[in-house]
Amino acid sequence: PQPRPVRKILMTEVKAELVGNVWKITSKPGDEVAEDDVLMILESMKMEISVTAPRAGKVKEIRVKETEVVKEGQVLVVLE
């Protein structure tokens, strides 16, 4: 039998651009998202900052919970 072709899956890590609290998560694993869709909202210094998808794809995992404090550069969401 022929070996099955390996499907290359591109994973994209969406990272926090600042220190803040996870205010609201608006996506869940399995969701199909378009580029610039809001994945979650962070709160920092009384401001709401939307975290958006850098490209279209499927949400593979969400690595934070609501109310969690996140650090700059921390992975929040993984897209495939």
Side-chain angles (χ1 to χ4, degrees):
Q2 291 285 345
R4 288 191 13 224
V6 176
R7 200 173 122 221
K8 196 171 184 181
I9 299 174
L10 178 67
M11 299 290 179
T12 301
E13 293 181 335
V14 182
K15 298 179 181 178
E17 294 183 5
L18 44 75
V19 174
N21 295 308
V22 179
W23 183 67
K24 185 174 186 182
I25 297 174
T26 57
S27 57
K28 63 186 182 308
D31 283 358
E32 293 286 343
V33 295
E35 185 175 347
D36 294 329
D37 277 1
V38 176
L39 303 172
M40 67 181 60
I41 300 169
L42 302 181
E43 183 271 325
S44 181
M45 297 171 24
K46 306 285 186 228
M47 292 176 40
E48 293 177 13
I49 297 98
S50 295
V51 176
T52 58
R55 63 172 181 83
K58 183 189 279 188
V59 177
K60 179 172 172 54
E61 59 183 299
I62 295 180
R63 295 192 178 170
V64 293
K65 294 179 174 40
E66 288 184 359
T67 73
E68 187 175 329
V69 176
V70 297
K71 299 185 294 256
E72 184 176 347
Q74 182 176 342
V75 177
L76 307 174
V77 180
V78 178
L79 297 178
E80 64 178 3

